[in-house]
Amino acid sequence: MLMIHCPHCEETLPELEFAYAGEAHIDRPVKPSDLSDEEWRDFLFIRSNPRGQHFERWRHVHGCARFFNAVRDTVSDQFLTTYKSGLPRPTEDELKELAR
Amino acid sequence: MTQTISNTLNMMTKIGHPAGSQAIADMKGPVDIAFNETCARFNLRIDPANLAKASKTFGLDIPASIHGYAKDGGRSALCLGPDDWNIYGDEADKDAIAKAFADLYADAAHSLSDISDRQLSISLKGAQVADLLAMACPRDLSQLAVGSGTRTLFDSVEVLLIKHSDEHFEMEVWRSFLPHVWAMLQLGNQELVIDEVLNKA
């Protein structure tokens, strides 16, 4: 079982309490009506789906119920870090340090 | 209210489901399992900056950190998330609590939902209570400090657990999940009996 660190509870807890919630750092357009159909499609459906480090949202649904962001390696399933929603994504240097 | 608890436990029988014959009254075993008295129970969502005002209204210092639990007389409060609390009082005080928070609203916007009837509280007491819970709870409950509580899972059912001491837990279960959780607790208690017999042999 994966153990996931919740940045709100500040505890590392079993995966069963959490739910995956898609890719992180995707801002909803401020004025959706200004977007072309293609841009709106990209916002709704087009995701990066990388092999390796993936920035994603998780929700501690059966705990504090908050959403937060995580960086997970999609190959090894290792969580590099988790951080509260709204914070900037970790820099590449920070991630390299965490991956070591 | 006792009538309501028995209705919930015998729900399967009442709707004519074949599993109804399994409704369980005998919960004997190493862990004492019993219902706590019903109470007034509210969910409170409020900006943490206004928590002091809510504490004053409620008449109890509501804990600010997640897992925090406070109890004083008939009132208690459990912090579930950064802006999410359950607060408890005597059943007779329900209207008074709702009124007090309604008066607070102009000063501090918040949401107070009456969830008294949504879930039931079960008391679990005994030296092996941690073993019983470990059967179906993924969380390492030895890491949960005495005098704190949390929302977690019990056999995939979302429950609240409050750890009053190493040998005394309180579990709150939504009414509709209760027959399942009750049956799981009974099964676990029976397994502990079997362990006892095997250890003696």
Side-chain angles (χ1 to χ4, degrees), chain A residues 1 8-9 11 13-14 16-17 60-66, chain B residues 45 66-67 80-84 138-139 143 151-153 158:
Chain A
M1 191 185 301
H8 293 281
C9 296
E11 270 188 273
L13 297 164
L16 287 176
E17 290 192 0
H60 191 189
V61 56
H62 298 300
C64 65
R66 295 304 87 193
Chain B
R45 304 294 305 270
I66 298 177
H67 303 335
L80 297 169
D83 58 356
D84 190 358
R139 198 183 270 241
Q143 298 294 312
R151 187 155 43 199
T152 183
L153 291 170
E158 187 174 295

Short mmCIF file of all heavy atoms in Angstrom, two decimals, chain A residues 1 8-9 11 13-14 16-17 60-66, chain B residues 45 66-67 80-84 138-139 143 151-153 158:
data_model
loop_
_atom_site.label_atom_id
_atom_site.label_comp_id
_atom_site.label_asym_id
_atom_site.label_seq_id
_atom_site.Cartn_x
_atom_site.Cartn_y
_atom_site.Cartn_z
N MET A 1 0.84 -1.21 0.00
CA MET A 1 0.00 0.00 0.00
C MET A 1 0.87 1.25 0.00
O MET A 1 1.87 1.31 0.70
CB MET A 1 -0.88 -0.01 1.26
CG MET A 1 -1.94 1.05 1.23
SD MET A 1 -2.88 1.14 2.76
CE MET A 1 -3.55 -0.49 2.89
N HIS A 8 -1.93 18.78 5.15
CA HIS A 8 -2.82 19.43 6.12
C HIS A 8 -2.76 18.70 7.47
O HIS A 8 -2.59 19.32 8.51
CB HIS A 8 -4.26 19.46 5.60
CG HIS A 8 -4.42 20.34 4.40
ND1 HIS A 8 -4.50 21.70 4.48
CD2 HIS A 8 -4.46 20.04 3.08
CE1 HIS A 8 -4.62 22.21 3.27
NE2 HIS A 8 -4.59 21.22 2.40
N CYS A 9 -2.88 17.38 7.44
CA CYS A 9 -2.81 16.59 8.68
C CYS A 9 -1.37 16.49 9.17
O CYS A 9 -1.13 16.16 10.33
CB CYS A 9 -3.36 15.18 8.46
SG CYS A 9 -5.09 15.13 8.04
N GLU A 11 0.72 14.18 8.43
CA GLU A 11 0.96 12.79 8.79
C GLU A 11 1.06 11.97 7.52
O GLU A 11 0.45 12.32 6.51
CB GLU A 11 -0.21 12.25 9.62
CG GLU A 11 -0.07 12.43 11.10
CD GLU A 11 -1.19 11.70 11.82
OE1 GLU A 11 -2.26 12.30 12.01
OE2 GLU A 11 -1.00 10.53 12.17
N LEU A 13 -0.09 8.71 5.78
CA LEU A 13 -1.23 7.84 6.05
C LEU A 13 -1.49 6.91 4.87
O LEU A 13 -1.05 7.16 3.75
CB LEU A 13 -2.47 8.70 6.32
CG LEU A 13 -2.32 9.59 7.56
CD1 LEU A 13 -3.36 10.69 7.57
CD2 LEU A 13 -2.41 8.76 8.82
N PRO A 14 -2.23 5.82 5.12
CA PRO A 14 -2.44 4.83 4.05
C PRO A 14 -3.26 5.37 2.88
O PRO A 14 -4.19 6.14 3.06
CB PRO A 14 -3.17 3.69 4.76
CG PRO A 14 -3.64 4.23 6.04
CD PRO A 14 -2.78 5.38 6.40
N LEU A 16 -5.55 4.20 1.22
CA LEU A 16 -7.00 3.97 1.22
C LEU A 16 -7.80 5.21 1.63
O LEU A 16 -8.94 5.37 1.25
CB LEU A 16 -7.36 2.83 2.18
CG LEU A 16 -7.01 1.42 1.74
CD1 LEU A 16 -7.35 0.43 2.83
CD2 LEU A 16 -7.77 1.08 0.47
N GLU A 17 -7.18 6.09 2.42
CA GLU A 17 -7.91 7.28 2.87
C GLU A 17 -7.93 8.37 1.79
O GLU A 17 -8.59 9.38 1.96
CB GLU A 17 -7.25 7.85 4.13
CG GLU A 17 -7.45 6.97 5.35
CD GLU A 17 -7.04 7.67 6.65
OE1 GLU A 17 -6.62 8.83 6.60
OE2 GLU A 17 -7.15 7.03 7.70
N HIS A 60 -7.60 14.04 0.46
CA HIS A 60 -7.60 13.19 1.68
C HIS A 60 -9.05 12.98 2.09
O HIS A 60 -9.49 13.44 3.14
CB HIS A 60 -6.79 13.88 2.77
CG HIS A 60 -6.51 12.97 3.93
ND1 HIS A 60 -5.97 13.42 5.11
CD2 HIS A 60 -6.70 11.64 4.09
CE1 HIS A 60 -5.84 12.40 5.94
NE2 HIS A 60 -6.29 11.32 5.36
N VAL A 61 -9.78 12.28 1.22
CA VAL A 61 -11.23 12.28 1.31
C VAL A 61 -11.76 11.65 2.60
O VAL A 61 -12.71 12.12 3.19
CB VAL A 61 -11.84 11.64 0.04
CG1 VAL A 61 -11.32 10.25 -0.18
CG2 VAL A 61 -13.34 11.64 0.08
N HIS A 62 -11.10 10.59 3.08
CA HIS A 62 -11.56 9.96 4.32
C HIS A 62 -10.72 10.40 5.51
O HIS A 62 -10.45 9.62 6.42
CB HIS A 62 -11.53 8.44 4.18
CG HIS A 62 -12.43 7.93 3.10
ND1 HIS A 62 -13.78 8.14 3.10
CD2 HIS A 62 -12.17 7.26 1.95
CE1 HIS A 62 -14.32 7.59 2.01
NE2 HIS A 62 -13.36 7.06 1.30
N GLY A 63 -10.25 11.64 5.47
CA GLY A 63 -9.49 12.18 6.60
C GLY A 63 -9.92 13.63 6.76
O GLY A 63 -11.06 13.89 7.10
N CYS A 64 -9.02 14.57 6.43
CA CYS A 64 -9.37 15.98 6.59
C CYS A 64 -10.21 16.47 5.41
O CYS A 64 -10.71 17.59 5.45
CB CYS A 64 -8.11 16.82 6.75
SG CYS A 64 -7.04 16.82 5.31
N ALA A 65 -10.34 15.67 4.35
CA ALA A 65 -11.20 15.98 3.20
C ALA A 65 -10.67 17.10 2.32
O ALA A 65 -11.37 17.56 1.43
CB ALA A 65 -12.64 16.27 3.63
N ARG A 66 -9.42 17.56 2.57
CA ARG A 66 -8.84 18.64 1.76
C ARG A 66 -8.19 18.08 0.48
O ARG A 66 -7.66 16.98 0.49
CB ARG A 66 -7.75 19.39 2.52
CG ARG A 66 -8.13 20.17 3.74
CD ARG A 66 -9.19 21.19 3.53
NE ARG A 66 -10.49 20.57 3.70
CZ ARG A 66 -11.63 21.11 3.34
NH1 ARG A 66 -11.66 22.27 2.76
NH2 ARG A 66 -12.76 20.50 3.55
N ARG B 45 -18.48 24.57 9.94
CA ARG B 45 -17.46 25.04 9.00
C ARG B 45 -17.33 26.54 9.22
O ARG B 45 -18.31 27.27 9.11
CB ARG B 45 -17.88 24.78 7.54
CG ARG B 45 -18.22 23.33 7.22
CD ARG B 45 -17.04 22.40 7.31
NE ARG B 45 -15.91 22.80 6.48
CZ ARG B 45 -15.75 22.40 5.21
NH1 ARG B 45 -16.63 21.64 4.64
NH2 ARG B 45 -14.68 22.79 4.54
N ILE B 66 -5.88 19.83 13.51
CA ILE B 66 -6.54 18.61 13.05
C ILE B 66 -6.25 17.47 14.03
O ILE B 66 -5.13 17.35 14.52
CB ILE B 66 -6.04 18.24 11.63
CG1 ILE B 66 -6.41 19.36 10.66
CG2 ILE B 66 -6.64 16.91 11.16
CD1 ILE B 66 -5.92 19.13 9.25
N HIS B 67 -7.23 16.65 14.31
CA HIS B 67 -7.20 15.55 15.28
C HIS B 67 -7.45 16.03 16.71
O HIS B 67 -7.57 15.22 17.61
CB HIS B 67 -5.89 14.74 15.28
CG HIS B 67 -5.53 14.14 13.96
ND1 HIS B 67 -6.47 13.85 13.01
CD2 HIS B 67 -4.34 13.77 13.44
CE1 HIS B 67 -5.88 13.34 11.95
NE2 HIS B 67 -4.57 13.29 12.18
N LEU B 80 -11.74 18.08 12.49
CA LEU B 80 -11.59 17.08 11.42
C LEU B 80 -10.69 17.56 10.30
O LEU B 80 -9.99 16.77 9.66
CB LEU B 80 -12.97 16.74 10.85
CG LEU B 80 -13.96 16.11 11.81
CD1 LEU B 80 -15.35 16.08 11.21
CD2 LEU B 80 -13.52 14.70 12.15
N GLY B 81 -10.76 18.84 10.01
CA GLY B 81 -9.96 19.41 8.92
C GLY B 81 -9.61 20.84 9.26
O GLY B 81 -9.98 21.33 10.33
N PRO B 82 -8.91 21.54 8.36
CA PRO B 82 -8.44 22.90 8.68
C PRO B 82 -9.59 23.85 9.03
O PRO B 82 -9.38 24.80 9.79
CB PRO B 82 -7.76 23.35 7.39
CG PRO B 82 -7.52 22.13 6.59
CD PRO B 82 -8.50 21.09 7.02
N ASP B 83 -10.79 23.64 8.46
CA ASP B 83 -11.91 24.52 8.79
C ASP B 83 -13.18 23.70 9.02
O ASP B 83 -14.27 24.08 8.66
CB ASP B 83 -12.14 25.54 7.65
CG ASP B 83 -12.40 24.85 6.33
OD1 ASP B 83 -12.33 23.60 6.29
OD2 ASP B 83 -12.69 25.53 5.34
N ASP B 84 -12.99 22.53 9.60
CA ASP B 84 -14.07 21.54 9.68
C ASP B 84 -14.09 20.92 11.08
O ASP B 84 -13.10 20.33 11.51
CB ASP B 84 -13.76 20.47 8.61
CG ASP B 84 -14.89 19.50 8.38
OD1 ASP B 84 -15.92 19.62 9.05
OD2 ASP B 84 -14.74 18.62 7.51
N PRO B 138 -7.23 0.88 8.22
CA PRO B 138 -5.89 0.89 7.62
C PRO B 138 -4.88 1.75 8.39
O PRO B 138 -3.68 1.62 8.21
CB PRO B 138 -6.14 1.49 6.23
CG PRO B 138 -7.36 2.32 6.39
CD PRO B 138 -8.20 1.63 7.42
N ARG B 139 -5.38 2.62 9.24
CA ARG B 139 -4.50 3.55 9.93
C ARG B 139 -3.84 2.88 11.14
O ARG B 139 -4.46 2.05 11.78
CB ARG B 139 -5.33 4.75 10.40
CG ARG B 139 -4.56 5.98 10.76
CD ARG B 139 -5.50 7.03 11.28
NE ARG B 139 -6.02 7.88 10.23
CZ ARG B 139 -5.82 9.21 10.19
NH1 ARG B 139 -5.11 9.80 11.12
NH2 ARG B 139 -6.35 9.93 9.24
N GLN B 143 -0.46 5.42 16.58
CA GLN B 143 0.10 6.75 16.31
C GLN B 143 -0.88 7.88 16.68
O GLN B 143 -0.49 9.04 16.70
CB GLN B 143 0.45 6.90 14.82
CG GLN B 143 1.49 5.92 14.33
CD GLN B 143 2.84 6.16 14.95
OE1 GLN B 143 3.32 7.29 14.99
NE2 GLN B 143 3.47 5.11 15.46
N ARG B 151 -11.07 11.29 11.34
CA ARG B 151 -11.94 10.60 10.42
C ARG B 151 -11.07 9.57 9.72
O ARG B 151 -9.93 9.84 9.38
CB ARG B 151 -12.48 11.62 9.40
CG ARG B 151 -13.52 11.10 8.48
CD ARG B 151 -14.42 12.21 7.94
NE ARG B 151 -13.70 13.40 7.55
CZ ARG B 151 -14.28 14.59 7.40
NH1 ARG B 151 -15.55 14.73 7.64
NH2 ARG B 151 -13.57 15.64 7.03
N THR B 152 -11.57 8.36 9.55
CA THR B 152 -10.80 7.33 8.86
C THR B 152 -11.76 6.30 8.28
O THR B 152 -12.96 6.56 8.16
CB THR B 152 -9.74 6.70 9.79
OG1 THR B 152 -8.97 5.77 9.05
CG2 THR B 152 -10.38 6.00 10.97
N LEU B 153 -11.23 5.15 7.94
CA LEU B 153 -12.06 4.10 7.36
C LEU B 153 -12.12 2.89 8.29
O LEU B 153 -11.16 2.62 9.02
CB LEU B 153 -11.49 3.64 6.02
CG LEU B 153 -11.55 4.63 4.86
CD1 LEU B 153 -10.73 4.12 3.69
CD2 LEU B 153 -12.98 4.85 4.43
N GLU B 158 -16.60 4.99 5.99
CA GLU B 158 -16.02 6.15 6.66
C GLU B 158 -16.56 6.27 8.07
O GLU B 158 -17.79 6.27 8.27
CB GLU B 158 -16.34 7.41 5.85
CG GLU B 158 -15.63 8.63 6.39
CD GLU B 158 -15.83 9.83 5.49
OE1 GLU B 158 -15.36 9.80 4.34
OE2 GLU B 158 -16.47 10.79 5.94
#
